Amino acid sequence: MAGGVRIVERRQLEYFVAIVEHGGFSHAARALHVAQPSLSRAIGNLERELGVTLFHRVGRQAVLSNAGEALAARARLVLRDLEAFRAAARALGEGAVGRVDVAATSSSGLEPIVSIVAELRERHPGVTVSVSSADAAAEVVAMVAQGRCEVGVCGSAQRPTGQGLVAHHLRDEEFLLVLPPGTRPAGNGPVVRPGELRGMRFVVTGQTTAVRALFDRFSATVGELTVAAEVGDRSVVLPMVLKGIGAALMPDGWADLARRAGAEVYRFAPAERIAQWLVHRGGPVTSATRAFIDTTLARVRATPDTDAAGR
């Protein structure tokens, strides 16, 4: 400390965030490949420099204090900003390089994420994309706002909001009816009307998803919809449909995969849609994050919405 000014080191913040994310000192020490006493000393120094207690020691466990909870998200954001600064310097000579952490709901993880990663591989081979799954749009927004991820892609009826967040409308995602192989809706037409769902059995997801909200609305307005299975992992919905357990409502990002697997896919009339958004924090970002954002927005401008039935 010089002249009464306390200096917080990047390493101390990295250790603090690692302890929070790994659930304790011992797990964090193993993940960071440092000795636990060194980790403990670094956090002790950080607590003295900040003038607050970050963890309460309860036996061999460390419990995050109120101050620690308040500062954890800020520490993540500071580390993100430091990385953005360093990446900007590297990009001056190397172009876009580094890793971008992306939060996405399951349908967004298929599209547009898959297509964006494919384009980034061609345009910016130095960029690596790490995708974290989220159950709902609110979780995606929270992951970006808290600095756990730099970018988020999700479907939401309302524009995502949050302090310092920027949201771009990408397209209108369409919900589809997916049926077991060889089955048809009651109307036998090229599209399905909500009333034709009456009496059908469904494989549904958890309560927080947009797809579940649509099912609950149909259940209330149409009636006589039966839940054959409720799953927390949305990746098992399509296999259950293929086994004949029930029908499912799915975002159009699953349409090609469902058809190739042999399922029957139908659009609704009128169409059921939800807006899809790209979310990131305002201000400086890493070159990898900028490449991801620019590639996503350029793809949207170059590819107008196409209907799911024509894919």
Side-chain angles (χ1 to χ4, degrees):
M1 183 173 71
V5 178
R6 297 179 185 270
I7 299 176
V8 174
E9 299 178 1
R10 175 194 178 109
R11 176 177 55 87
Q12 292 172 312
L13 294 180
E14 290 174 337
Y15 286 0
F16 171 44
V17 170
I19 295 167
V20 173
E21 294 185 344
H22 291 282
F25 281 73
S26 59
H27 293 302
R30 284 195 292 270
L32 294 168
H33 304 291
V34 299
Q36 186 169 334
S38 298
L39 186 64
S40 298
R41 283 195 298 271
I43 295 302
N45 291 336
L46 178 60
E47 290 178 321
R48 284 191 292 274
E49 289 161 2
L50 295 176
V52 297
T53 298
L54 299 174
F55 298 97
H56 297 302
R57 278 68 171 179
V58 181
R60 294 187 176 183
Q61 294 186 332
V63 179
L64 200 61
S65 68
N66 290 337
E69 290 183 358
L71 292 174
R74 177 55 58 186
R76 291 190 188 97
L77 296 178
V78 170
L79 291 173
R80 293 286 187 192
D81 288 341
L82 287 172
E83 180 55 32
F85 181 81
R86 294 177 61 186
R90 292 197 304 269
L92 292 175
E94 303 175 11
V97 293
R99 163 173 156 163
V100 53
D101 293 311
V102 181
T105 50
S106 65
S107 59
S108 298
L110 283 176
E111 286 299 334
I113 300 295
V114 170
S115 296
I116 294 167
V117 172
E119 290 189 29
L120 280 172
R121 182 181 179 184
E122 296 296 325
R123 298 182 183 182
H124 304 284
V127 173
T128 300
V129 180
S130 175
V131 181
S132 298
S133 61
D135 289 333
E139 185 178 357
V140 169
V141 172
M143 292 170 77
V144 176
Q146 295 167 5
R148 294 163 59 193
C149 290
E150 293 148 312
V151 183
V153 183
C154 61
S156 174
Q158 304 296 325
R159 176 182 289 272
T161 59
Q163 185 174 4
L165 294 185
V166 179
H168 305 271
H169 177 257
L170 299 181
R171 68 185 186 102
D172 286 336
E173 190 176 41
E174 187 169 357
F175 293 114
L176 309 172
L177 175 67
V178 181
L179 298 174
T183 60
R184 297 181 61 84
N188 288 320
V191 296
V192 177
R193 300 191 179 279
E196 297 172 25
L197 303 180
R198 186 174 293 110
M200 293 178 61
R201 295 167 56 85
F202 280 85
V203 178
V204 301
T205 54
Q207 296 287 343
T208 61
T209 66
V211 172
R212 180 57 183 268
L214 177 61
F215 172 82
D216 289 343
R217 174 158 61 84
F218 281 156
S219 184
T221 56
V222 175
E224 298 182 31
L225 272 60
T226 303
V227 175
E230 182 175 14
V231 300
D233 182 356
R234 285 177 284 187
S235 66
V236 304
V237 172
L238 181 57
M240 285 190 171
V241 173
L242 296 174
K243 286 291 187 180
I245 295 173
L249 303 173
M250 288 185 168
D252 57 17
W254 288 83
D256 287 342
L257 182 60
R259 289 193 181 97
R260 288 198 300 269
E264 310 292 341
V265 180
Y266 290 87
R267 300 178 66 194
F268 283 100
E272 294 286 347
R273 296 189 174 99
I274 190 170
Q276 194 175 57
W277 305 89
L278 173 72
V279 184
H280 61 88
R281 289 192 299 123
V285 296
T286 66
S287 62
T289 301
R290 176 50 57 191
F292 184 94
I293 294 170
D294 290 347
T295 299
T296 303
L297 297 181
R299 183 174 181 274
V300 170
R301 290 191 292 269
T303 309
D305 281 356
T306 58
D307 61 45
R311 295 184 181 187

